[in-house]
Amino acid sequence: MPERVSVQTLEVLYPFISRNPVQIPHQYAFTHRLISDYEHQYPKLGWRDSGQAVKYTYSLNMTPEDYRGKKVLDAGSGLGRFKRALKSMGVEADVTNFDDGETYGRGEDYVVDVQGKVEHMPFADNTFDVSVVSWVFPNQFLDETVDTNFMAEQLRELVRVTKKGGGIIRYTPVRMFQVLQGPEQQAVYDEATIKAFAELEKLHRENPGMKTRITRLIDDQDNGQDQFEDILEITL
């Protein structure tokens, strides 16, 4: 197995990426408190939708107001709870729930506007003001036979369908070479991540106004080994 690529090496390879100096705390107790705050601030939300609201705002380095009045793509929307949560919060936004339906099937709670894969979306260029991707990469990445192009293809599609001249993309988690369940699975994910950042480099050349930065959410562990997720923040 080849030597693993470090985050520092990645930043040298792709200098167009900037780092957000603020590392957002992501401890369980802190997030739990945020959910309670949302629930009290927006009584119509309920517990589950409060959690979803936190997931799509704080955990994406966004606020509810960032969505107001915008045409929003929720790519990998799952049960569609975020669209419902925004409505309960009184935030008017034109949200499109886009999901492949493989995880949740077609149960009673499953609300999708358009069905398909993030890697191949049926939307026209420059359609959305805000495109968000929250935990949609396939669980199959733990299988070493998975197509490692999936993340690169998703990012290219997100850039294509998001409006140039101010459009926002949030993509998480990009687990920047964090150790996963084993060396074989880690090798698969490392390869997918390397391909994704090579694709980002191409996208930057094609879109001169594009900016990319990485914000890290830190989860302090009692054993001294911090766990983290990285938010990929793109403006067009």
Side-chain angles (χ1 to χ4, degrees), residues 70-87:
K70 303 293 178 60
K71 189 172 180 62
V72 179
L73 170 65
D74 185 356
S77 55
L79 297 175
R81 285 200 180 107
F82 179 58
K83 183 175 184 177
R84 187 166 64 239
L86 278 180
K87 186 175 181 181

Side-chain angles (χ1 to χ4, degrees), residues 191-207:
E191 182 178 345
T193 307
I194 291 168
K195 287 182 176 180
F197 279 87
E199 188 66 28
L200 272 175
E201 187 174 37
K202 295 178 186 175
L203 289 166
H204 270 262
R205 288 198 298 267
E206 297 167 11
N207 300 275

